[in-house]
Structure formats: structure tokens, C-alpha cells
Amino acid sequence: MRERKIPLNLNCGLDLIGEVLYGKWKIRLLWFINQGHLRPSELNRKIPDASRRVLNIQLKELEEHELVTKKIYAQVPPKVEYFLTDFGKTLIPVISALGYWGDENEDRLRKVILKRMGENTYDAPNEVSN
């Protein structure tokens, strides 16, 4: 186990949730598992910028924090699926609210993020309508 550079601080709810959800892909993993993308390969396709190794590490941490469970099926080749625990399901409304806030403030957030990064332009993705 690696040694922490910053001491563990669990004095309030924000510290606790930060410790549990810290990791670039954890919120997305929880969201996609909730949407029914249960297998590691499906999750990797939903988050193509993340390496399989990083996703596996973050899935293991979510499992250790009792937010997801891992089911391994006894078959060849092995089949693995992840499911939200009841505890993990309680985070979905919170994640949904964060996503809604991000959507409502998308232009402003994009502008300040790009400004901080020193970029002036952004090629918006093509809108896909159903």
C-alpha cells in the first residue's frame, strides 16, 4: 500500500465523500453502472480515455468503499459484472444533480476551464439528435 502525501482527514461529510469519490472516473463509473453498463469491457467503451488498468483500480476502490459489488460468473471465458449496492444507489441522485448543474452551466464552465488552461478555442462536439 502506498504512503499518503497528505494526511487522511475525515472530519466532515465533504472530506468523507472526497475520499470515497476521489478519482477521475469514479463518478462516471457509478453513473454508467447505474445505467446498466455492467461489464468491464462496456465500461471501458463508455470511458475510452481511461486505461483499463485505471478503471480496474477505481472499480476496486468503489468496491472497497461498498458502493459497488463485483460478481464473477463461473464460466469460460470468465464473466465479470459490477452492480451498485443499495449504498451506492444513494449517490445517484447526487450525481444526477451535479450533472444537471454542469449542463446548466456548461458554457461558463467550459470558458473558465479553457481560460485556465490558456486555450481560447474549443471545437464543440456535433449535436446528435434522436
Side-chain angles (χ1 to χ4, degrees):
M1 180 170 266
R2 66 180 171 84
E3 186 176 326
R4 297 178 67 96
K5 293 180 182 179
I6 300 172
L8 187 61
N9 182 359
L10 304 177
N11 294 326
C12 72
L14 289 175
D15 293 334
L16 293 165
I17 197 161
E19 184 63 31
V20 171
L21 293 181
Y22 175 75
K24 186 171 185 175
W25 310 111
K26 286 184 181 179
I27 290 174
R28 288 183 184 181
L29 286 167
L30 291 168
W31 186 257
F32 290 137
I33 291 168
N34 184 62
Q35 289 186 325
H37 304 283
L38 310 176
R39 303 200 55 201
S41 59
E42 293 173 333
L43 294 167
N44 202 211
R45 281 192 294 273
K46 295 297 286 183
I47 311 172
D49 293 338
S51 72
R52 187 130 195 176
R53 178 181 174 275
V54 169
L55 288 182
N56 286 337
I57 289 169
Q58 292 194 359
L59 283 164
K60 183 179 180 198
E61 291 173 358
L62 289 170
E63 191 177 5
E64 290 169 352
H65 287 116
E66 300 178 1
L67 298 174
V68 300
T69 57
K70 178 180 180 179
K71 182 170 183 175
I72 302 171
Y73 295 90
Q75 66 184 53
V76 176
K79 177 180 175 183
V80 174
E81 290 184 337
Y82 289 91
F83 300 91
L84 291 181
T85 62
D86 288 340
F87 185 46
K89 290 175 186 175
T90 65
L91 271 172
I92 297 305
V94 176
I95 294 170
S96 181
L98 286 171
Y100 177 78
W101 182 84
D103 290 343
E104 290 294 305
N105 296 284
E106 180 179 357
D107 291 337
R108 183 176 184 174
L109 291 169
R110 185 174 285 114
K111 182 179 173 184
V112 298
I113 291 167
L114 293 175
K115 181 180 175 183
R116 183 173 179 263
M117 294 174 62
E119 297 178 19
N120 294 326
T121 61
Y122 172 75
D123 294 328
N126 294 333
E127 292 292 323
V128 177
S129 58
N130 293 333

